């Protein structure tokens, strides 16, 4: 099927990035969030990010203006029912995603493809609670979406070939590269990345190194562009913990046990950049380690 319109659920850092790239690729985008102020903030951020692309000559001013015109917003979830493709990018909690799909599915066109940007939750399980498991896929973008070239495509056990090919076509039109993953906890990227971050938190927890030394060691010793604790703050410590719990519960292996210190930070509400504090404190002019 030809996809012309895309509905995006969630206007946070992933949702606004997905709306951004889809609009630039020529899709009509309807961006949904429960909060009108989140939608206003998303449009402002998308505009600022596109302005940056214009200044760097990645796109033209005409490209930016046309893309911004293609983005509409709504606080009514069922308005997305007429979209050809829906990408859910809400918080990484299965109960939240299930509630969204339960409300949205009755409003969908029969041929609408339903996808989730989940970074770890079972696609098969999410799909089974909808009326279209054969038209359901994992569509996992990397953060920040306008910059990162990879998209993980994850088939559930019931996903049909037509749905997969349609989603592959969207990835190509976005000028991104797809990696296909099997539907096992955390897929490919986070199956490898999150245990590394969790181990870095254990190194901090056990006093082997402090925040600065751990990040410096990985940046200079392994040529990583960001240290693991800096990266955890960027992703969100609540998201890191949620993915580690999915791995631990889904694979029943103690090597995926979340570090107690990671849990403690999340309990404190120190979730990283988005809350102003995580492994670094971002409330001053320069980020300062909190341990």
């Amino acid at each position: 099927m030809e996809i012309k319109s895309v509905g995006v659920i969630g206007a946070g850092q992933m949702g606004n990035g997905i709306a951004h790239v889809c609009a630039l690729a020529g899709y009509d985008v309807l961006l949904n969030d429960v909060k009108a102020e989140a939608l206003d903030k998303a449009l402002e951020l998308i505009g600022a990010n596109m302005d940056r692309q214009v200044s760097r000559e990645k796109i033209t001013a005409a490209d930016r203006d046309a893309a911004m015109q293609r983005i509409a917003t709504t606080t009514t979830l069922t308005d997305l029912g007429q979209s050809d493709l829906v990408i859910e990018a809400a918080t990484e909690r299965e109960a939240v995603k299930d509630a969204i799909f339960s409300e949205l599915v009755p409003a969908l066109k029969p041929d609408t493809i339903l996808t989730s940007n989940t970074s770890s939750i079972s696609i098969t399980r999410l799909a089974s609670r909808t009326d279209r498991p054969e038209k359901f896929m994992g569509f996992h973008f990397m953060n920040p979406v306008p910059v990162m070239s990879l998209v993980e495509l994850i088939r559930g056990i019931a996903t049909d070939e037509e749905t997969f090919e349609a989603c592959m076509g969207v990835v190509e039109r976005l000028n991104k590269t797809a990696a296909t993953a099997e539907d096992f906890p955390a897929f490919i990227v986070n199956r490898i990345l999150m245990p590394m971050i969790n181990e870095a938190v254990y190194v901090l927890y056990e006093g082997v190194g402090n925040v600065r030394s751990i990040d410096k060691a990985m940046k200079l010793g392994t040529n990583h562009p960001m240290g693991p604790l800096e990266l955890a703050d960027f992703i969100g410590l609540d998201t890191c913990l949620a993915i580690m719990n999915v791995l631990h519960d889904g694979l029943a292996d103690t090597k995926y046990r979340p570090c107690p210190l990671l849990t403690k930070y999340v309990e404190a509400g120190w979730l990283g950049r988005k809350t102003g504090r995580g492994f670094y404190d971002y409330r001053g002019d320069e980020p300062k380690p909190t341990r």
Side-chain angles (χ1 to χ4, degrees):
M1 64 175 289
E2 185 181 3
I3 292 172
K4 296 180 179 178
S5 59
V6 178
V8 180
I9 303 169
Q13 61 181 350
M14 296 304 294
N16 76 64
I18 294 167
H20 175 142
V21 297
C22 288
L24 272 179
Y27 293 107
D28 292 323
V29 177
L30 184 55
L31 179 61
N32 163 261
D33 200 278
V34 292
K35 297 178 180 177
E37 56 268 30
L39 293 169
D40 293 339
K41 184 179 178 182
L43 286 177
E44 185 179 330
L45 186 58
I46 292 167
N49 287 338
M50 286 191 187
D51 286 344
R52 191 175 298 113
Q53 288 179 299
V54 171
S55 69
R56 294 175 179 172
E57 299 184 347
K58 302 287 187 183
I59 62 173
T60 66
D63 292 334
R64 174 199 60 204
D65 294 345
M68 291 301 294
Q69 287 293 317
R70 293 188 195 102
I71 303 174
T73 63
T74 180
T75 55
T76 304
L77 180 62
T78 51
D79 287 348
L80 274 61
Q82 294 305 302
S83 302
D84 299 323
L85 169 68
V86 173
I87 303 171
E88 171 273 316
T91 188
E92 188 69 355
R93 295 209 304 272
E94 190 165 347
V96 172
K97 295 180 188 298
D98 283 341
I100 287 168
F101 295 139
S102 178
E103 182 180 347
L104 177 63
V105 161
L108 293 176
K109 298 186 298 183
D111 59 349
T112 295
I113 292 174
L114 193 54
T115 68
S116 176
N117 182 58
T118 179
S119 50
S120 61
I121 298 167
S122 168
I123 298 303
T124 297
R125 195 163 63 239
L126 290 173
S128 71
R129 298 168 186 145
T130 74
D131 67 344
R132 60 195 66 211
E134 72 287 348
K135 290 189 173 296
F136 194 106
M137 275 200 71
F139 210 126
H140 181 215
F141 290 83
M142 304 296 123
N143 186 35
V145 179
V147 176
M148 302 295 279
S149 62
L150 183 72
V151 178
E152 279 185 311
L153 288 181
I154 307 102
R155 283 188 252 216
I157 197 169
T159 306
D160 63 28
E161 189 63 25
E162 183 183 18
T163 298
F164 174 79
E165 292 297 336
C167 289
M168 181 67 81
V170 172
V171 173
E172 291 169 355
R173 184 164 159 183
L174 297 177
N175 199 29
K176 294 190 181 294
T177 301
T180 57
E182 293 300 315
D183 185 23
F184 289 98
F187 320 128
I188 295 173
V189 172
N190 284 316
R191 173 78 177 265
I192 297 168
L193 175 64
M194 285 302 158
M196 184 197 77
I197 288 174
N198 193 55
E199 194 63 28
V201 183
Y202 267 114
V203 170
L204 179 65
Y205 176 61
E206 294 168 5
V208 180
N210 61 29
V211 168
R212 280 206 196 281
S213 62
I214 292 165
D215 279 349
K216 188 186 299 180
M218 294 306 291
K219 285 194 282 188
L220 300 181
T222 62
N223 209 27
H224 288 197
M226 296 174 75
L229 302 176
E230 182 186 7
L231 180 57
D233 276 357
F234 181 74
I235 293 167
L237 303 193
D238 53 339
T239 299
C240 295
L241 180 60
I243 296 170
M244 287 309 301
N245 281 325
V246 166
L247 281 165
H248 191 237
D249 295 344
L251 297 171
D253 192 323
T254 55
K255 72 180 180 181
Y256 299 116
R257 183 172 71 96
C259 180
L261 184 59
L262 177 59
T263 302
K264 189 66 68 181
Y265 268 73
V266 173
E267 288 174 345
W270 292 18
L271 308 182
R273 285 180 178 269
K274 61 188 175 184
T275 58
R277 275 188 294 189
F279 292 114
Y280 292 86
D281 189 328
Y282 300 93
R283 295 173 299 172
D285 294 335
E286 293 288 330
K288 294 182 179 179
T290 54
R291 281 180 102 78

